[in-house]
Amino acid sequence: MKPPSNPNSTYGNGVYMLKFNTTIDVILQNANALNANVSEIHPWHLHGHDFWVLGYGEGKFSKKDEKKFNLKNPPLRNTAVIFPYGWTALRFVTDNPGVWAFHCHIEPHLHMGMGVVFAEGVHLVGNIPNEALSCGLTGKMLMSKKHN
C-alpha cells in the first residue's frame, strides 16, 4: 500500500499564488514514470485561461531551448500534450481573478498528484452566487431532486 518514492517529482501543497496581470511561463518536463525507461503522454489542461504553446522539444529543457520559442504566432489552446521524455513551454496572462486548476487530463494521473492550482487576483473575487457553487441548481431544486 506504500508507493515507491519518485526521484523525478517534487512534493508540496501545489498552490501557486500568482501576481495579477502578469505574464507566466510554464515549462512542463516529462520524465520517467515510476518504472525505469517508461514515459507517457500527458495532456495538460488549464481552467480559467487559454495559453500560448511557445514550443516543445525532446529531452530535458534547458535555457538554450528558449531560442526555439515561437513568439510570433504561437497556437492558443487550453490543453497541450507533453510527449514522453520531452518538454512543452506555455505562456498565459493572469488576468482572470480566481483559483484555477492546472492538471494532467488523464484522471488517474490527476489523482496521483499531477496537478497544481494557480491563484490570481483572489482579492478581486466578490461573493460567489449559490447557483455557481451548485452548477446552476438552486437549493430548492436540489432538495426536490433528492426526493425523486
Side-chain angles (χ1 to χ4, degrees):
M1 296 302 292
K2 188 174 180 184
S5 64
N6 183 352
N8 295 316
S9 64
T10 57
Y11 299 88
N13 69 8
V15 178
Y16 292 86
M17 303 298 291
L18 305 176
K19 186 175 177 188
F20 192 63
N21 275 329
T22 59
T23 301
I24 303 296
D25 288 352
V26 176
I27 308 297
L28 293 167
Q29 179 69 58
N30 199 350
N32 284 327
L34 291 177
N35 297 324
N37 301 315
V38 174
S39 186
E40 301 172 331
I41 289 176
H42 299 286
W44 277 76
H45 174 70
L46 177 59
H47 293 247
H49 289 281
D50 288 331
F51 51 74
W52 294 278
V53 180
L54 301 181
Y56 55 90
E58 295 180 350
K60 187 173 182 179
F61 177 82
S62 71
K63 200 80 170 145
K64 66 180 169 53
D65 291 316
E66 290 181 16
K67 291 183 262 181
K68 302 180 214 169
F69 284 1
N70 175 3
L71 301 176
K72 191 171 185 174
N73 60 352
L76 189 64
R77 303 281 185 265
N78 64 27
T79 304
V81 172
I82 294 60
F83 293 100
Y85 298 111
W87 57 267
T88 299
L90 312 174
R91 175 175 288 174
F92 70 100
V93 178
T94 58
D95 58 0
N96 189 10
V99 178
W100 306 109
F102 182 51
H103 60 91
C104 179
H105 226 275
I106 298 171
E107 191 170 355
H109 294 179
L110 170 62
H111 296 296
M112 292 187 311
M114 291 185 72
V116 296
V117 172
F118 294 144
E120 61 190 80
V122 176
H123 64 286
L124 300 172
V125 177
N127 292 332
I128 300 172
N130 286 337
E131 293 81 10
L133 298 175
S134 60
C135 300
L137 299 174
T138 64
K140 190 174 186 179
M141 291 171 73
L142 287 172
M143 291 302 292
S144 66
K145 285 192 175 282
K146 286 182 183 177
H147 297 294
N148 290 339

